[in-house]
Amino acid sequence: MTLQQLKYAIEIANCGSMNEAAKRLFISQPSLSNAIKELENELGIAIFERSNRGIVTSEAGIEFLGYARQVIEQMEFMESRYKGEQFRGVQFSMSTQHYPFVVDAYVRLLQSYDAEEYNLVLRETRTLDIIEDVRSLRSDIGVLYINEQNAKVMNKLFSDHHLKFTPLLNASPHIYVSSQHPLAAKEELTMEDVSPYPYLSFEQGEQHSLNFIEEIVRTVQPARSIKVSDRATLRDILLGTQGYTIGTGLLTSDLTGSELRSIPLLIEQAATIGWIAHKDIQLGDIAKRYIDILNDIVTEVQFNYNYWLL
């Protein structure tokens, strides 16, 4: 087993693709495959498995990569220390549902972090992809919600994949509309109020089960619906049409200005937003710092009102 093989395995897990990892490592795909096969034969385990979604990390591979990352981090630390340099090679990757406050926390992390070298990744993606990213160690943490309707399914997925869900805050459903929308002046809304308007939601791909929808309220299939895959597109459509979507009510003025309104929805449903991480892997310092920032933002929401909870 070599340090190079460990780096290869980590890069494959990060990319989720043998071809993409080979490109980033500047080696041929056959050479990379052979190196991993030799490593797997030496260890007596299959680190990666192939599926219709590409390369995924096996259960044994998850444990192995947890140790491999620690070994590589310590090696880089030792190299930097004994070269008389400060250790700067920091990596942090996360996956999340489409929450402005999560991006705000990421911005604050970058503003507070003065390392000259780092490799950070933020993925806004689908619910099942978040779980898979954290399970396979492609991401250190994931941010998503659970509620009464999906808790049974989600908690089973967490258990099956050895993940732990840590709550951040409880959120009540809000309707998001443009500040120019006919309903923008309302203090509260019902589903009947918004039914004449187009409904925007995040597309979940083949896994479109109601358990995985990002909007925290299950609705009757609307007459007019629009599915999008990213938050910027959803925002632009909200601003340019009389459409609406359902969210948590947490909008940051820094990221959205005053162009959107967040109006409480009169419905007895709520959600708990939290973060997931692998039970068996210790989080790095930068991941811990990011979680501290998330908790600071929750405190602001609850006590300082720096967010629009309209």
Side-chain angles (χ1 to χ4, degrees):
M1 184 190 318
T2 67
L3 291 173
Q4 186 178 57
Q5 287 174 315
L6 299 186
K7 290 180 178 179
Y8 286 175
I10 291 169
E11 191 61 39
I12 293 169
N14 288 342
C15 294
S17 163
M18 192 74 71
N19 288 333
E20 182 62 28
K23 291 177 183 177
R24 295 190 184 185
L25 293 166
F26 301 102
I27 63 173
S28 68
Q29 191 272 333
S31 296
L32 180 58
S33 296
N34 289 335
I36 295 302
K37 283 182 181 178
E38 291 176 2
L39 179 59
E40 291 178 324
N41 289 336
E42 179 181 350
L43 297 172
I45 64 171
I47 301 173
F48 300 106
E49 298 171 348
R50 293 189 177 275
S51 74
N52 56 5
R53 299 176 61 203
I55 294 290
V56 296
T57 309
S58 68
E59 292 297 328
I62 288 174
E63 181 181 14
F64 168 77
L65 286 171
Y67 291 121
R69 291 176 193 275
Q70 294 177 42
V71 169
I72 295 301
E73 184 174 309
Q74 289 301 312
M75 181 272 293
E76 291 175 344
F77 175 81
M78 290 175 65
E79 285 183 344
S80 297
R81 179 179 179 86
Y82 291 105
K83 287 179 181 178
E85 301 174 358
Q86 181 181 0
F87 174 58
R88 298 173 297 179
V90 176
Q91 295 193 9
F92 170 57
S93 178
M94 64 168 295
S95 299
T96 178
Q97 292 176 328
H98 300 76
Y99 299 129
F101 81 96
V102 170
V103 179
D104 189 10
Y106 210 78
V107 171
R108 296 189 193 187
L109 176 69
L110 293 172
Q111 291 172 341
S112 69
Y113 203 71
D114 59 1
E116 295 182 15
E117 297 181 13
Y118 51 74
N119 182 12
L120 308 181
V121 179
L122 171 61
R123 302 182 185 92
E124 287 189 324
T125 188
R126 301 166 180 170
T127 302
L128 276 183
D129 289 339
I130 295 169
I131 296 172
E132 175 58 24
D133 285 349
V134 179
R135 184 203 74 83
S136 65
L137 302 182
R138 187 167 183 246
S139 290
D140 298 282
I141 67 170
V143 179
L144 40 64
Y145 80 86
I146 60 174
N147 62 11
E148 184 178 349
Q149 288 72 39
N150 72 6
K152 184 175 180 179
V153 170
M154 297 292 278
N155 285 326
K156 185 177 189 307
L157 283 171
F158 298 157
S159 177
D160 290 346
H161 296 323
H162 307 289
L163 306 177
K164 180 182 178 182
F165 177 85
T166 301
L168 281 169
L169 77 161
N170 293 323
S172 299
H174 285 61
I175 297 292
Y176 293 172
V177 294
S178 162
S179 59
Q180 304 303 312
H181 195 281
L183 300 176
K186 297 283 188 179
E187 294 299 321
E188 55 190 23
L189 292 169
T190 67
M191 291 305 302
E192 184 177 358
D193 292 328
V194 297
S195 61
Y197 302 99
Y199 174 54
L200 281 72
S201 61
F202 287 107
E203 192 264 338
Q204 295 293 330
E206 295 179 359
Q207 304 294 339
H208 54 266
S209 164
L210 288 176
N211 292 305
F212 306 130
I213 60 173
E214 185 166 333
E215 297 70 35
I216 63 177
V217 172
R218 295 186 179 184
T219 62
V220 176
Q221 180 62 34
R224 293 183 289 172
S225 67
I226 303 169
K227 291 191 179 296
V228 301
S229 59
D230 68 271
R231 187 159 48 88
T233 300
L234 181 139
R235 175 181 176 277
D236 288 345
I237 295 176
L238 285 178
L239 294 179
T241 70
Q242 292 186 351
Y244 73 95
T245 191
I246 301 173
T248 62
L250 281 71
L251 293 176
T252 66
S253 56
D254 289 343
L255 295 177
T256 61
S258 58
E259 298 171 312
L260 294 180
R261 279 275 292 160
S262 174
I263 306 170
L265 177 62
L266 294 179
I267 192 170
E268 292 185 3
Q269 294 186 33
T272 299
I273 302 173
W275 56 273
I276 57 173
H278 204 283
K279 289 180 180 178
D280 303 324
I281 305 299
Q282 184 175 356
L283 292 176
D285 290 341
I286 194 166
K288 293 177 182 177
R289 183 183 302 187
Y290 178 77
I291 291 169
D292 287 341
I293 293 172
L294 279 178
N295 284 316
D296 289 342
I297 287 177
V298 170
T299 300
E300 292 176 9
V301 170
Q302 294 175 333
F303 299 107
N304 296 332
Y305 303 100
N306 286 350
Y307 283 73
W308 302 348
L309 292 176
L310 304 177

